[in-house]
Amino acid sequence: MAEQLRLMAVHAHPDDESSKGAASAARYVAEGVDVLVATCTGGERGSVLNPKLDRPDVWENIAEIRRAEMDAARAILGVKQAWLGFVDSGLPEGDPLPPLSEGCFALEPLEVATAPLVRLMREFRPHVVTTYDENGGYPHPDHIMCHKVSVAAFDAAGDPERYPDLGEPWQPLKLYYNIGWSRARLVATHEAMLAAGLESPYTDWLKEWDKREDKGDRVTTRVECGEYFETRDDALRAHATQVDPDGAWFRVPLDLQRKVWPTEDFELVKSLVDSPVPESDLFAGVREAVRAA
């Protein structure tokens, strides 16, 4: 192919790239696709979820540590990575919820927050962009803002009248939302664990499952990437402050995961090429368009 295919994955915090779409990214890197992760914030207000690292010296240097973790995960996945430079909004808790901190990502005007991503899209020139749905995947303020910025930048990057000082216009061809855990995937994995005589880490989640959470019917694209689940998990463990290596994320054997649900799932929401659904490739229709060009 005369022009290398390019994929941009837009995420809210360092570690999100390793828990959402990481195995697909690693697969595409192995196939020669140029993959760039755009990270909106530095994750400065994230929790320390690994009890072994919940220490004062870690909290005092959390911003630097999270950058180093991102470097390690990026190298494991084989992707490129760029920071958009915004400040983590944190996840407010309580009733009523406390206000967000002044200057954080979620409170930036949309036109301002979109600009760095427009610049990056015009520099990197992605054919395909992935991000979160309108609920952010889950309702974290930064995830929701990441969704808004990604959709706005997808539309603005190719418009010469928008952000005229941020580089030559470039229009990505497809936009996807990550679809993480559908109820079908959760049930299939849970039942496979029980059938194998193993304790399922999803028992309580299934009991508390809210039907409104299920986005299984929105999936248009399933990318086979079971071969890269180990790479995904290694990248996630590189974010040592953000994940407990002995936690639920790693209790399901990889061979069982590959057998039960060997794909990562996406929803195609915008396409400027002919790409009938269902799909098995984020570049369906794009490959043909690039060859024709």
Side-chain angles (χ1 to χ4, degrees):
M1 190 171 290
E3 184 176 6
Q4 185 180 25
L5 296 175
R6 293 179 296 276
L7 169 65
M8 175 183 283
V10 189
H11 291 284
H13 311 107
D15 77 83
D16 290 326
E17 84 297 325
S18 296
S19 61
K20 303 166 188 66
S24 299
R27 169 193 154 169
Y28 283 118
V29 168
E31 292 178 354
V33 175
D34 197 0
V35 180
L36 174 66
V37 170
T39 310
C40 294
T41 79
E44 304 89 347
R45 293 192 172 101
S47 302
V48 175
L49 301 175
N50 183 346
K52 298 182 180 69
L53 295 178
D54 191 2
R55 309 188 308 257
D57 61 307
V58 171
W59 282 106
E60 289 168 6
N61 299 283
I62 192 67
E64 294 80 4
I65 289 171
R66 298 213 65 188
R67 281 183 171 268
E69 290 173 345
M70 183 69 247
D71 284 344
R74 173 192 52 73
I76 291 167
L77 293 173
V79 301
K80 298 174 180 175
Q81 189 263 339
W83 302 96
L84 295 189
F86 296 103
V87 176
D88 189 342
S89 304
L91 182 58
E93 294 180 304
D95 187 12
L97 291 174
L100 296 175
S101 299
E102 184 178 352
C104 71
F105 179 48
L107 295 182
E108 291 282 352
L110 183 59
E111 193 76 5
V112 173
T114 301
L117 188 56
V118 169
R119 182 191 296 275
L120 190 60
M121 284 186 180
R122 289 176 177 177
E123 291 173 353
F124 182 65
R125 297 160 65 89
H127 299 99
V128 173
V129 176
T130 67
T131 191
Y132 315 140
D133 66 18
E134 64 284 351
N135 193 44
Y138 80 107
H140 188 297
D142 286 337
H143 284 242
I144 294 171
M145 189 62 166
C146 179
H147 157 79
K148 293 178 180 178
V149 164
S150 300
V151 173
F154 183 91
D155 292 336
D159 186 345
E161 296 184 2
R162 301 281 306 279
Y163 303 97
D165 299 328
L166 298 185
E168 183 180 350
W170 172 263
Q171 179 59 59
L173 297 177
K174 298 176 85 174
L175 176 67
Y176 288 92
Y177 296 158
N178 297 288
I179 302 292
W181 283 91
S182 62
R183 190 175 191 282
R185 178 186 173 192
L186 192 64
V187 168
T189 308
H190 172 76
E191 291 180 347
M193 287 288 283
L194 298 180
L198 302 171
E199 182 181 357
S200 170
Y202 305 128
T203 301
D204 291 341
W205 191 3
L206 273 172
K207 287 179 181 177
E208 299 168 1
W209 182 270
D210 186 332
K211 291 181 180 180
R212 291 173 296 180
E213 292 181 54
D214 193 15
K215 298 171 183 174
D217 61 350
R218 293 174 57 167
V219 173
T220 62
T221 311
R222 302 187 189 276
V223 178
E224 291 269 356
C225 52
E227 182 181 347
Y228 300 95
F229 284 176
E230 187 171 7
T231 304
R232 172 203 65 195
D233 286 0
D234 286 344
L236 188 54
R237 277 188 285 263
H239 291 283
T241 59
Q242 290 296 292
V243 61
D244 182 352
D246 301 317
W249 286 112
F250 306 110
R251 289 181 191 161
V252 181
L254 292 178
D255 286 344
L256 186 148
Q257 293 183 45
R258 294 182 182 112
K259 180 179 179 181
V260 172
W261 208 275
T263 67
E264 288 180 335
D265 302 339
F266 301 84
E267 177 187 7
L268 176 63
V269 289
K270 293 193 177 190
S271 180
L272 281 73
V273 296
D274 184 17
S275 53
V277 296
E279 304 173 319
S280 59
D281 179 14
L282 299 180
F283 291 90
V286 173
R287 299 177 190 275
E288 296 78 7
V290 171
R291 287 192 191 101

